[in-house]
Amino acid sequence: MEAVIMKKSQVSRILIEGNPDLLQRFCEQIEQGYEIIELKPPAKSLVMTKANDSVSQKPFYLGEVLVTECTISIDGVYGFGVLMGEYAERAYQLAVVDGAFHARLPETQFWYAELLEEEKQIMARHRLEYSLAMRTKVNFDTMEEYNAKR
């Protein structure tokens, strides 16, 4: 089997945006074969959201966002899960899957194909949402531009 390389951010995005059953299944696979120690149980936190000003390109803070975060350990290797909103179970599951990847557990090698397939589904959903939104787009011509086209 050819080695697949995915960034941690890509894996996290797929697991958060994708079908929750995939994340749950991965977590259950690890729970069945390894001892998981919850170092920091799922808890709500507030984090500052940073963005860049489109004109000056300088960073500024939009405000606070509610997140749920969790930290676990699998055989002495840490796993961390965080996502926006109040999702204690999913934060725990993300932490377990993150810990499995950090510990390079053998089960993770079989997840890449499913992650790539789920990413395709997410991208297809995004394309559909974009096309639906573009149907409602209004073109605001000024009277001058409108009259020039006639």
Side-chain angles (χ1 to χ4, degrees), residues 52-60:
N52 279 337
D53 182 284
S54 59
V55 177
S56 69
Q57 294 301 312
K58 296 194 188 237
F60 69 96

Side-chain angles (χ1 to χ4, degrees), residues 1 8 17 31 33 45 48 59 66 73 81 87-88 93 95-96 102 112 116 118-119 121 133 145:
M1 179 187 213
K8 181 178 178 179
E17 286 187 44
E31 287 176 326
S45 299
M48 293 297 289
L66 177 72
S73 173
Y87 301 101
Q93 292 168 344
V96 170
H102 282 183
Y112 289 110
L116 290 171
E118 188 64 30
E119 185 175 44
Q121 298 297 322
E145 291 169 340

Side-chain angles (χ1 to χ4, degrees), residues 40 42-47 64-70 82-83 85:
K40 182 178 183 251
K44 293 177 276 187
S45 299
L46 292 173
V47 296
E64 295 177 324
V65 175
L66 177 72
V67 298
T68 307
E69 58 185 334
C70 177
V82 62
L83 71 159

Side-chain angles (χ1 to χ4, degrees), residues 27 30-31 34-38 72-74 92 96:
C27 179
I30 301 305
E31 287 176 326
Y34 302 89
E35 181 184 358
I36 298 166
I37 300 168
E38 233 179 48
I72 60 95
S73 173
I74 303 172
Y92 168 79
V96 170

